[in-house]
Every structure is written in C-alpha cells, then in structure tokens.
C-alpha cells in the first residue's frame, strides 16, 4: 500500500509540473511564433501591429453580440403569406446603427456629391440627381401632403427624422460613400493624411478605401502629396530615406522600404458600412441579449420590447405607446394629449425607448431596407450561419500592364432603373469591378458563378419546368415569371424611357426585389413583429421605408473575450 501511495504522489507531482510547464509558454508578442525572428525590429523585417486592441464601434454604430435565435415566427400567420416559417439561425457579432439614417445624415451625402461632382457639369449631373430621394412619395391623390413634399427632406425641423423616399439602390450607394468618408477620417486621425485633405476632394481626386488598400499611390487622382502630408506619413518618409553620392558624383535617395501607407494589417481601416442582412436585422430587433426565458429563446418574443402589448406597463409611463404605428382606421397617433403616440407621420429618431441592444425604432416609425433578395422560403437546409440571399461576387478589373483599373469621368457606370431614373453605380477614383467568370471558379466547391441571387430557388436548374434543352430565352417557364423591364436611355438626361413588358406575368418576385422589415407609421401593430417580412422593388421608394447601416465585427465574438484574453 505504501509503495502504491508513494507512486501516486510522485505521478501527481510530475503531472503538476508538466501542466505548469504547458501554461508558461513563451510570449511571442514581439517575436515570430513561426521563425523566432524579431517583429517590428528597427533593422527592417516584418512589420505588424502587435498592440492592436480591438475594433471600436465606428461612428453611429452600437455593438450587437452574435448568437443563435429562432428566425421567423411560431404565432398565427393572419396574412397567410407563409413566408416566415421558423428556422434556427446563428449570427456572428456585428455593429448596427443606433438609429435609422436621418435626413441630416443623408443631406451630408448629397452636399458632398454636389460639391465634388457638380451637377452643372454634364459628365456628373446624373451622380447627384440619381442620389436625391424621391420627395413625391408623399403625394396622395385624395390627401394634402404638399408640406412634406416641399419640406420633409431639407427643412431643419425634420433634420432628425428618418430619411424616406430612398430606394434600396440609393441606400446601398450611400453605404459605400459612408465607408470611404469614415476611413478617410480614420487615416487623418492616425496621421497618414492631413486634415486639410478631407475638404480638398475633386471630381478626379477622391478617396476610395479599396483604391487606397490596393493602389494607395492612385487615390486622390494620383496626387501623392495629399497622402504623404500627414504627420505619420511625412515622418516615415523622413526617417526611411537617406541621401548618398554615387561614384559619378550624382545624388541618390534610397529608402529602407517601410511603407508610408496604412494597410489592413495596421488595423486602422474599418470594414465596410452596408445594409444589414435580414437575419441580422431580425436578430438585432428582437434583442434577446437581456432575456434568458426558454419560450422567448424559442421564438415567442413578439416585439423588440418585453411583453405582448404596444403600451407601456411601467407605472411611471403606464399607457404610453412604445412605437410609432397606425393604431386603427383613420388613427395614426391617438387622441391628442397624454395618450397620443407623439407622431402622425414619422417621429424624430430616439423618440421611443431603445431595445436591449440599445437600438431605437426597430419597430414602427419607418420600415427598413435590408440587404437580402426576397424569396418566400429561407433555405436553412443549405445554410444556417450568417444567412443571406443576394451574393454577387466581383473582382477588381486589371489593365493590360497589371495595374488596377481606376474609374474616371469617362467610364462611370450608370444604371437606368425601371422607374426611368439614371443612377451612378461607381464613382471616379474607385476601382472598376467585373464579374467572376466560371473559369476562375474551376474546381471550387463553395461557389461556381458570380451572381448567386437565385441559387437553389428561381434559377433554371431548380425550376419545376426545367428541361435541359429548353430555350433559355423562353421566360414563360421560369419559376418566378416576373415582369421584365427593358431600359432605353435617352441621351445624357436624368431620365430614361422604360420599355414596358406586354407579356402575361404571374408574380412580382424577381432578383431585383428586396426584403424590408419592421412596421412603419403607416402600418398596423401586426407588422411591428420583427419576424414579419415584405418585399419591394429595389429601384422604387415610398414614404414609409428608410434604412440603417450595419458593419461586420472582426476579431473576438464579444468584448468579454477580449478582456479575458488580456487578463490571461
């Protein structure tokens, strides 16, 4: 017995020593775990930001910690749409706008376009006019709404109201613009660009995030003085260059090779602003982070707030409406006084309490565009992680000399929408994009073509009437036999004449209709349920659909993970 006990004691001590040794691994913060070489040494070598903290929320955004949830509803479907069958989905952490994009935010975008691309110049007039919201959405043939037509967008009284009259296409273009302006400011604060540069953009000399990453010397129209006038850039230029005299007496300037431009590995630039996916929007609206009730977790939470009613049960605010919506026939706010919801049309953002994620107006006020192409069924059998329908993969266009192709005033891409409006889909200074070809996806298992909007639903191979040798131009056999609008451009005007489709059609569903979520000031309480989903053509606008932006989170899933890693 004593021998066995002694053996066990020795074994336990040895095991403990082994475990301690495993935990005391070498700190590789400033040296390479791969080679042992020093990182960021003064003598050159690999340069990497080893002091990166974690992605901070970009302007306007709040953190949404990801997780699993029941997308769709398990309650009665009184509309009989049968388009929100419950599915279990998992969402990665991301950031989302605290409020809807307001009129003032959108006017900043319009002001920038007007200043940089003057509509008085023929080459640029469609850039500005294509971005202006449709203020005529307020008109009603049996109602007087001219006050909103003339004032809602631009009058300071409506500055903090959500922007409306914006199509999905316009919302997507705003998101791209916002990405570039925020990252341009990031580079100023990090010392790579001087602050004066922010206000010197010209039509042929603008900043684009992707251009800066892929061809930094070609941003601002190739004016390197603008990118090298920042404190950090100038210091790098001064520290890393030296002047020598060669054998012939000529002065030669050499460089140590360090880059005066910020790169992705520096952690300075934010990911893109974009429209949230439908799954992200619904997950954020539910705000399950503050609740751990089993029934709610399984999809039985009805609104972004706790409870099953639209009025507050708080003793201090008892009876107050929790959202801006249509309460009944001819009732858009209630009887004037304490029981009124405070708005007859839209309301200023933050007029009602935020949900548990800190997001305002995720029910009511305005419905909101999301990124997804609409289909009646969410195909969770194929994917239940970051679900999204609408992927169109592109790549940078490359010139014959191997450089990226930069968009100029002569090759701006315009789209003529079904409404006749002409919209710019890229701006001078951006990198031109082209579809990915099947040759480039050869032997790939995860995707095989550029446009995946109709994947497993609506493409010819998944159609009920598909025949291998059927005429591909015969649209009468398509699963989604939607109207086809041919666009006929008219010179350089801001309008184009559409060619009407005279064939018999059976559905409005196509690859050009997008999902919008949430109720609005025009909707009854039924639509306040985050699970409800509707669709609208992506190039049309209304007086009750707005939008907000989202941004993917890089790094750890939650802020607690970052804190734990630092403590360890």
């Amino acid at each position: 017995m004593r021998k066995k006990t002694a053996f066990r004691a020795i074994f336990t001590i040895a095991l403990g020593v082994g475990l301690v040794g495993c935990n005391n691994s070498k700190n590789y913060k400033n040296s390479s775990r791969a080679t042992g070489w020093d990182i960021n040494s003064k003598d050159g070598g690999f340069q990497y930001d080893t002091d990166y903290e974690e992605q901070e929320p970009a302007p306007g955004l709040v953190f949404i910690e990801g997780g699993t949830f029941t997308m769709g509803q398990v309650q009665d479907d009184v509309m009989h749409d049968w388009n929100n069958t419950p599915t279990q989905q998992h969402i990665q952490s991301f950031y989302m706008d605290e409020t809807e994009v307001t009129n003032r935010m959108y006017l900043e975008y319009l002001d920038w376009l007007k200043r940089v691309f003057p509509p008085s110049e023929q080459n640029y007039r469609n850039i500005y006019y294509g971005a202006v919201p449709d203020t005529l959405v307020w008109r009603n043939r049996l109602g007087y709404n001219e006050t909103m037509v003339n004032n809602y967008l631009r009058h300071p009284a409506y500055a903090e109201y959500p922007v409306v009259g914006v199509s999905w296409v316009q919302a997507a273009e705003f998101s791209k613009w916002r990405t570039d302006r925020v990252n341009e400011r990031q580079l100023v604060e990090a010392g790579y660009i001087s602050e004066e540069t922010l206000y010197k953009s010209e039509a042929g000399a603008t900043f684009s995030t992707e251009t800066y990453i892929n061809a930094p010397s070609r941003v601002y129209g190739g004016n390197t003085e603008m990118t090298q006038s920042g404190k950090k850039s100038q210091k790098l230029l001064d520290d890393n260059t030296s002047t020598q005299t060669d054998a012939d007496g000529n002065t030669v300037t050499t460089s140590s090779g360090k880059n005066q431009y910020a790169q992705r590995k520096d952690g300075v630039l934010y990911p893109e602003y974009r429209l949230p996916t439908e799954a992200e929007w619904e997950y954020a609206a539910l705000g399950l982070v503050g609740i751990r009730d089993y029934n709610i977790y399984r999809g039985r939470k009805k609104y972004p707030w706790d409870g099953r009613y639209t009025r507050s049960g708080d003793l201090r605010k008892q009876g107050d409406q929790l959202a801006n919506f249509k309460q009944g026939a001819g009732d858009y706010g209630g009887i004037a006084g304490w029981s009124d919801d405070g708005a007859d049309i839209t309301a200023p953002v933050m007029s009602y309490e935020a949900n548990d994620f800190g997001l305002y107006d995720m029910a009511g006020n305005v419905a909101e565009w999301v990124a997804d192409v609409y289909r009646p069924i969410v195909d969770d059998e194929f994917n239940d992680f970051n679900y999204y329908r609408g992927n169109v993969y592109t790549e940078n266009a490359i010139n014959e000399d191997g450089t990226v192709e930069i968009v100029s005033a002569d090759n701006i891409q315009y789209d003529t929408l079904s409404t006749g409006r002409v919209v710019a889909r890229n701006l001078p200074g951006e990198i031109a994009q082209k579809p990915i070809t099947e040759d480039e996806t050869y032997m790939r298992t995860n995707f095989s073509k550029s446009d995946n909007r109709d994947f497993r639903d609506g493409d010819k191979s998944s159609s009920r009437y598909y025949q291998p040798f059927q005429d591909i131009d015969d649209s009468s056999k398509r699963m989604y036999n939607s109207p086809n609008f041919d666009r006929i451009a008219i010179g350089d005007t801001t309008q184009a004449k559409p060619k009407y489709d005279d064939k018999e059609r059976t559905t409005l569903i196509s690859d050009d209709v997008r999902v919008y979520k949430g109720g609005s000031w025009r909707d009854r309480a039924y639509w306040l349920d985050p699970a409800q989903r509707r669709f609208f053509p992506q190039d049309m606008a209304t007086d009750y659909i707005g939008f907000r932006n989202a941004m993917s989170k890089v790094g750890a899933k939650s802020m607690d993970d970052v804190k734990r890693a630092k403590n360890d």
Side-chain angles (χ1 to χ4, degrees):
M1 286 294 293
R2 290 181 179 178
K3 290 183 178 179
K4 289 184 178 180
T5 303
F7 175 79
R8 287 174 183 170
I10 295 171
F11 178 80
T12 303
I13 293 172
L15 179 62
V17 171
L19 290 174
V20 171
C22 291
N23 289 331
N24 292 334
S25 60
K26 183 178 179 181
N27 184 346
Y28 287 100
K29 179 178 180 181
N30 295 312
S31 62
S32 169
R33 192 184 298 272
T35 64
W37 289 20
D38 289 342
I39 295 176
N40 301 326
S41 65
K42 296 181 180 179
D43 298 326
F46 182 55
Q47 301 294 310
Y48 200 82
D49 182 7
T50 56
D51 296 321
Y52 180 74
E53 293 291 333
E54 188 64 22
Q55 180 183 349
E56 294 293 331
L61 306 181
V62 296
F63 175 62
I64 310 295
E65 182 176 345
T68 185
F69 81 113
T70 302
M71 184 177 177
Q73 68 168 13
V74 294
Q75 303 177 50
D76 292 337
D77 188 356
V78 299
M79 299 298 292
H80 300 290
D81 289 329
W82 306 114
N83 65 353
N84 54 358
T85 303
T87 65
Q88 197 70 20
Q89 298 286 339
H90 191 96
I91 303 298
Q92 274 189 299
S93 297
F94 64 103
Y95 295 90
M96 198 171 193
D97 264 330
E98 188 177 22
T99 71
E100 300 106 338
V101 171
T102 63
N103 284 321
R104 185 164 67 178
M105 293 167 67
Y106 202 87
L107 284 176
E108 184 181 359
Y109 169 49
L110 294 179
D111 177 74
W112 187 90
L113 290 178
K114 194 171 187 177
R115 175 167 51 86
V116 177
F117 303 103
S120 57
E121 296 185 22
Q122 192 67 29
N123 285 348
Y124 303 133
R125 62 179 298 150
N126 287 331
I127 294 178
Y128 175 77
Y129 289 120
V132 175
D134 181 5
T135 59
L136 297 182
V137 295
W138 287 105
R139 282 186 171 166
N140 187 308
R141 286 166 290 185
L142 290 179
Y144 181 76
N145 296 329
E146 293 304 299
T147 301
M148 277 80 79
V149 171
N150 297 322
N151 295 285
Y152 184 82
L153 175 64
R154 299 183 185 276
H155 197 285
Y158 294 109
E160 294 302 315
Y161 284 61
V163 66
V164 296
V166 175
S167 68
W168 183 94
V169 172
Q170 290 173 314
E173 292 304 310
F174 171 89
S175 306
K176 290 166 55 179
W177 168 84
R178 188 178 179 186
T179 301
D180 291 338
R181 302 291 73 74
V182 168
N183 277 332
E184 192 175 21
R185 183 70 197 181
Q186 280 289 102
L187 292 172
V188 167
E189 294 181 353
Y192 288 94
I193 298 176
S194 67
E195 187 166 4
E196 293 76 14
T197 303
L198 295 176
Y199 309 102
K200 291 183 179 179
S201 293
E202 300 175 357
T206 58
F207 175 88
S208 164
T209 300
E210 289 303 313
T211 302
Y212 184 87
I213 292 172
N214 291 277
S217 63
R218 300 185 66 182
V219 293
Y220 298 118
N223 185 352
T224 55
E225 293 183 0
M226 299 180 76
T227 55
Q228 296 174 0
S229 58
K231 295 179 182 179
K232 182 173 289 189
S233 295
Q234 193 60 50
K235 184 177 186 304
L236 284 170
L237 288 173
D238 295 340
D239 291 349
N240 299 319
T241 58
S242 60
T243 302
Q244 298 176 344
T245 303
D246 62 13
D248 298 327
N250 299 318
T251 300
V252 179
T253 301
T254 59
S255 171
S256 66
K258 291 186 179 179
N259 200 332
Q260 69 266 24
Y261 301 108
Q263 299 174 313
R264 289 194 196 275
K265 64 184 180 66
D266 296 314
V268 175
L269 299 173
Y270 282 113
E272 64 176 353
Y273 281 86
R274 54 179 173 78
L275 292 176
T277 66
E278 180 182 4
E280 285 176 336
W281 192 98
E282 188 172 329
Y283 175 81
L286 285 171
L288 301 177
V289 66
I291 301 172
R292 289 296 182 266
D293 182 86
Y294 176 77
N295 286 330
I296 292 175
Y297 167 76
R298 297 304 301 173
R300 289 176 171 83
K301 187 177 182 185
K302 187 174 180 62
Y303 298 116
W305 52 84
D306 296 344
R308 304 181 63 83
Y309 303 99
T310 62
R311 290 186 182 272
S312 174
D314 190 314
L315 291 177
R316 295 169 298 176
K317 305 175 183 177
Q318 195 165 26
D320 288 355
Q321 289 289 2
L322 297 172
N324 175 21
F325 63 99
K326 183 178 180 179
Q327 299 178 30
D331 184 357
Y332 288 83
I335 300 173
W338 69 268
S339 64
D340 188 13
D341 70 6
D344 39 26
I345 55 168
T346 55
V349 297
M350 297 188 176
S351 293
Y352 305 90
E353 292 185 10
N355 72 358
D356 287 339
F357 277 128
L359 301 172
Y360 292 86
D361 295 320
M362 295 301 284
N365 214 18
V366 292
E368 299 178 18
W369 289 115
V370 295
D372 293 58
V373 168
Y374 177 81
R375 290 292 187 270
I377 297 175
V378 173
D379 188 1
D380 64 318
E381 292 183 359
F382 187 83
N383 181 45
D384 56 6
F385 181 77
N386 285 347
Y387 186 87
Y388 166 62
R389 177 180 291 280
N391 282 311
V392 179
Y393 301 120
T394 62
E395 62 181 356
N396 296 338
I398 306 297
N399 296 316
E400 293 182 357
D401 60 358
T403 60
V404 292
E405 179 184 338
I406 305 298
V407 177
S408 66
D410 299 325
N411 62 347
I412 302 173
Q413 178 185 351
Y414 292 99
D415 275 359
T416 305
L417 309 181
S418 61
T419 58
R421 174 173 286 201
V422 178
V423 175
R425 298 305 292 269
N426 55 23
L427 297 177
E430 297 178 359
I431 298 177
Q433 298 293 302
K434 66 176 185 177
I436 293 176
T437 65
E438 292 186 3
D439 292 340
E440 294 166 309
T441 61
Y442 178 67
M443 293 297 288
R444 281 195 172 274
T445 59
N446 53 336
F447 72 101
S448 59
K449 61 180 182 178
S450 177
D451 189 346
N452 296 273
R453 290 175 295 177
D454 59 4
F455 178 68
R456 282 173 58 97
D457 197 346
D459 58 340
K460 64 180 182 179
S461 60
S462 62
S463 173
R464 175 183 177 186
Y465 298 105
Y466 172 66
Q467 297 176 5
F469 302 103
Q470 157 183 330
D471 183 359
I472 59 174
D473 294 327
D474 182 9
S475 59
S476 63
K477 298 298 184 182
R478 292 184 304 180
M479 178 179 289
Y480 295 106
N481 187 22
S482 56
N484 180 29
F485 296 101
D486 291 331
R487 286 75 162 178
I488 303 176
I490 305 177
D492 295 321
T493 64
T494 58
Q495 292 289 321
K497 182 179 179 181
K499 181 180 179 182
Y500 297 101
D501 186 358
D502 57 0
K503 293 184 178 181
E504 182 179 351
R505 301 298 182 186
T506 59
T507 180
L508 294 175
I509 299 174
S510 72
D511 290 343
D512 294 324
V513 296
R514 301 283 173 165
V515 179
Y516 70 95
K517 300 281 284 183
S520 75
W521 65 275
R522 279 193 176 276
D523 294 314
R524 299 289 186 95
Y526 173 78
W527 296 106
L528 302 184
D529 183 346
Q532 298 301 334
R533 55 199 306 260
R534 293 175 281 181
F535 66 92
F536 204 70
Q538 67 180 24
D539 51 11
M540 295 176 64
T542 74
D543 61 354
Y544 60 87
I545 300 180
F547 71 101
R548 72 180 75 207
N549 283 142
M551 178 184 289
S552 299
K553 184 185 185 302
V554 296
K557 177 179 184 288
S558 71
M559 297 305 179
D560 291 338
D561 295 337
V562 178
K563 294 177 183 177
R564 281 195 294 268
K566 287 182 178 180
N567 293 333
D568 292 341

